[in-house]
Amino acid sequence: MTMRQGLNAARPYSRFLRDQVPLLALVAVCATTAVLSERFLSPVNLNNILLQGCVMAVIAIGMTFVIIAGGFDLSVGSTVALAGTVSAWVMLETHWSLGAAAGIASGAVVGYLNGLIVARLRVNPFITTLGSMVVVRGIVLLITDGRPIVGDEGLPDTFLELGRGRLFGVHLLVWLPLVLFAVFGWLLHMTAYGKRIFATGGNRDAAFLAGIDVERVTASAYAWCGTLAGVAGVMLAARLQSGQPTVGEFYELTAIAAVVLGGASLRGGDGKLYKSMIGVFIMVVLANSLNLLNVHSYWQRVAIGLVIIAAAAADQIKSRNT
C-alpha cells in the first residue's frame, strides 16, 4: 500500500472522529466530574441534570432550525418568560389546557413576527431578535408588574402534575423533549421541508433560483423556534408552579452555544439535531459540575462565557478549513 492510499484509507476514520467530538467532549466532562465528585453519579444528581436539560433541549430544537436556516434568535429567553406568565394567567381564569395552549401560541406569535421581519423586511437577525428580546421582556414585566403569577389557590393540580409527575420513574418533563426530538428530527432530516431549510441556510440565492420560497422557509424556522420556546415556557411554569416574569435570562446564549457545540455552523446550512442535544448536555453537565465542585457562581459565569467564545471560535476555524 502506498502512502497516498494509506492517507485516503485513514480519512474516513479521521472524519468519523471529528464528527464525534461533541460526544467525546461530553464523555470527558462527565468522566472528569465523576472522578472529582462522588455525588455526580448519584441518582438524585442525574435526575437533576435531566430536569435542567429538558427545558433547554426543547429551546435548542427550535434554535437548530433557525441556525441551519442561516439565522439565530436572541429573543427565546424572553419568549420563555412570556409563555410561562401567559399560560399561568389564562389557566387561572379559564382551564389549564387553554392556559397551556395560550402560552405556546404566544411563543409562536413572537417567533412568526421575528421571521416576518427577518425574511420579508430583510432586517438583520441580530437587530431583529435583540429588539424583540427587549420588547417581549418589557411586555412580560408590564403585564405582571414584575411579580410571579400564582393565584390565591395556586395553579391547577392537573397542570402542576406535569412538573412533578413521573412515568416509569422518570419525570414527565423529561419525556416531552424525547417526543419533540423524534418529531422534529424527522421533520428536519427526513422531509422535503427539512431539505429546504438546509438549502436556504447553505446558499439563499441558489435556493431561490432552485424554486424554494426562501422567505417562507425562513419565517417558518423562526415560527418553530418561537413555538418551542413557548412549550419550554409552559414546562418551566409547571416545574416552578408559577408564571415567573424573570426566568429565561441567558437562555438564548446557552441555546446558541449548545447548537454550535453540537457542530452546527453559524453560517447556516449545516447541523444535526441529535448533536444539538449533545451540546445542550455539555452545557448542563458543565454547570452542574461547577456547582458540585463548589466553584463560585461568578466564576461559573466566566466559565460559561469562555465556552460560548470557544464554540464560536471553533465554528470559525471549521469554516476556514472547509
Side-chain angles (χ1 to χ4, degrees):
M1 179 183 292
T2 66
M3 182 177 294
R4 178 175 295 179
Q5 289 173 330
L7 290 173
N8 289 336
R11 282 174 184 170
Y13 298 103
S14 62
R15 188 180 302 115
F16 173 78
L17 288 176
R18 285 198 304 269
D19 287 342
Q20 302 309 314
V21 166
L23 180 59
L24 294 174
L26 177 59
V27 171
V29 173
C30 291
T32 302
T33 310
V35 171
L36 296 176
S37 174
E38 61 182 16
R39 292 181 295 165
F40 178 73
L41 294 178
S42 67
V44 172
N45 188 61
L46 293 178
N47 186 59
N48 285 336
I49 290 174
L50 289 175
L51 276 176
Q52 291 165 9
C54 65
V55 172
M56 187 54 62
V58 173
I59 298 172
I61 291 173
M63 190 67 75
T64 302
F65 273 68
V66 170
I67 288 178
I68 291 176
F72 54 88
D73 190 347
L74 295 176
S75 68
V76 290
S78 297
T79 303
V80 166
L82 176 68
T85 53
V86 167
S87 63
W89 178 64
V90 173
M91 71 179 60
L92 287 174
E93 300 295 329
T94 57
H95 190 266
W96 72 267
S97 60
L98 294 177
I104 296 171
S106 67
V109 169
V110 174
Y112 185 64
L113 290 176
N114 282 336
L116 284 180
I117 295 171
V118 171
R120 296 289 173 86
L121 301 181
R122 304 292 180 86
V123 180
N124 183 280
F126 176 83
I127 299 299
T128 299
T129 58
L130 178 64
S132 60
M133 175 184 74
V134 177
V135 170
V136 171
R137 182 69 68 176
I139 291 173
V140 173
L141 294 174
L142 282 172
I143 63 178
T144 62
D145 198 25
R147 292 176 292 188
I149 296 180
V150 182
D152 295 336
E153 299 180 358
L155 299 182
D157 289 336
T158 305
F159 175 70
L160 295 181
E161 189 63 24
L162 174 65
R164 61 195 179 200
R166 294 173 181 263
L167 179 64
F168 304 120
V170 179
H171 274 278
L172 292 175
L173 288 178
V174 175
W175 290 105
L176 184 56
L178 293 176
V179 174
L180 293 173
F181 171 77
V183 172
F184 283 92
W186 169 81
L187 185 64
L188 182 61
H189 297 295
M190 303 295 291
T191 68
Y193 170 71
K195 292 178 181 178
R196 289 194 289 269
I197 289 180
F198 278 96
T200 299
N203 191 319
R204 184 183 179 92
D205 293 333
F208 176 78
L209 293 174
I212 295 175
D213 188 341
V214 294
E215 291 185 355
R216 179 174 294 181
V217 170
T218 300
S220 68
Y222 279 93
W224 283 125
C225 188
T227 301
L228 289 167
V231 173
V234 173
M235 292 170 61
L236 199 56
R239 182 181 170 190
L240 299 177
Q241 302 184 16
S242 61
Q244 295 284 346
T246 58
V247 298
E249 291 185 349
F250 301 114
Y251 276 22
E252 54 283 332
L253 300 181
T254 302
I256 293 171
V259 175
V260 175
L261 281 171
S265 173
L266 286 171
R267 295 173 294 119
D270 186 25
K272 289 183 174 63
L273 197 56
Y274 82 91
K275 287 188 176 182
S276 295
M277 299 300 98
I278 293 174
V280 166
F281 282 97
I282 290 175
M283 300 295 290
V284 171
V285 171
L286 178 61
N288 178 264
S289 301
L290 294 174
N291 278 327
L292 291 178
L293 298 175
N294 295 319
V295 176
H296 196 284
S297 61
Y298 297 162
W299 281 111
Q300 290 185 32
R301 292 199 175 200
V302 171
I304 298 299
L306 290 174
V307 169
I308 293 172
I309 294 172
D315 177 62
Q316 286 297 316
I317 294 172
K318 184 175 72 171
S319 67
R320 291 181 192 144
N321 294 331
T322 56

